Amino acid sequence: MDERLRFVARLLDGEKMAVLCREFDISRKTGYKIFNRYKGCGLEGLTDRSRRPYRQANKLPFQVEKLIVQLKQERPSWGAPKIREKLRRLHSDVQLPAISTVHAVLDRHGLVTRRRRRRGYKAQGTTLSTRRAERSVVRRL
């Protein structure tokens, strides 16, 4: 901010924009942007601005999220695909989220319980198969 303030002060003293921009190693476009912000907002215009976007383009509307949570609370046994289908039937005018988005909403609100992972079944051989394997070992010797 100090450097911007010095830049604007020298501009107000009557120095030329192109010369100052070359000296401060900025483009003339940036120089005019700094000066116009100063003219519009005063000293506050010279402070750093947030780079955070004003809105999130793909964020789910809170009304739809509320509907998803409400349906799950009414029918706890329903999963994301069935809730999405119910939304499609009830509110055909609303743009539907993907099944994965519905699941993410349910997970965010703590309405999804993770299933325990099944252990894979390990097949055990019969007595015939083990004897056959033993005989093949004996024959090789």
Side-chain angles (χ1 to χ4, degrees):
M1 182 177 149
D2 295 334
E3 199 166 10
R4 292 180 196 151
L5 186 60
R6 275 189 267 123
F7 178 82
V8 170
R10 288 178 61 182
L11 258 178
L12 293 173
D13 285 341
E15 292 190 46
K16 299 284 184 195
M17 176 69 77
V19 176
L20 275 177
C21 289
R22 209 172 300 117
E23 190 179 319
F24 279 85
D25 199 26
I26 58 174
S27 67
R28 286 204 336 253
K29 182 179 179 182
T30 304
Y32 281 108
K33 180 172 71 173
I34 291 170
F35 188 59
N36 288 333
R37 281 187 186 166
Y38 173 76
K39 286 194 301 189
C41 303
L43 286 176
E44 282 193 21
L46 300 179
T47 58
D48 288 335
R49 292 186 171 190
S50 172
R51 289 179 172 84
R52 184 173 173 244
Y54 293 115
R55 64 183 191 90
Q56 290 179 326
N58 296 327
K59 188 171 182 182
L60 192 65
F62 73 92
Q63 297 93 342
V64 176
E65 189 164 333
K66 188 176 176 183
L67 278 171
I68 292 170
V69 171
Q70 184 180 357
L71 281 172
K72 179 65 175 181
Q73 288 171 342
E74 289 172 8
R75 306 280 188 172
S77 62
W78 284 7
K82 196 175 279 190
I83 290 174
R84 183 180 186 270
E85 183 61 29
K86 189 69 171 178
L87 276 176
R88 187 182 65 78
R89 290 182 184 171
L90 290 175
H91 305 282
S92 59
D93 56 330
V94 176
Q95 185 178 359
L96 290 177
I99 293 173
S100 58
T101 305
V102 174
H103 181 78
V105 168
L106 296 174
D107 199 21
R108 201 169 33 239
H109 288 273
L111 298 172
V112 177
T113 55
R114 301 247 183 239
R115 288 187 176 178
R116 292 186 66 178
R117 187 173 173 198
R118 284 183 160 180
R119 295 227 171 200
Y121 177 74
K122 185 175 180 183
Q124 296 177 355
T126 63
T127 55
L128 291 176
S129 65
T130 55
R131 286 193 182 138
R132 218 179 267 155
E134 289 172 3
R135 272 187 267 160
S136 65
V137 171
V138 171
R139 284 185 193 157
R140 288 185 194 146
L141 294 175

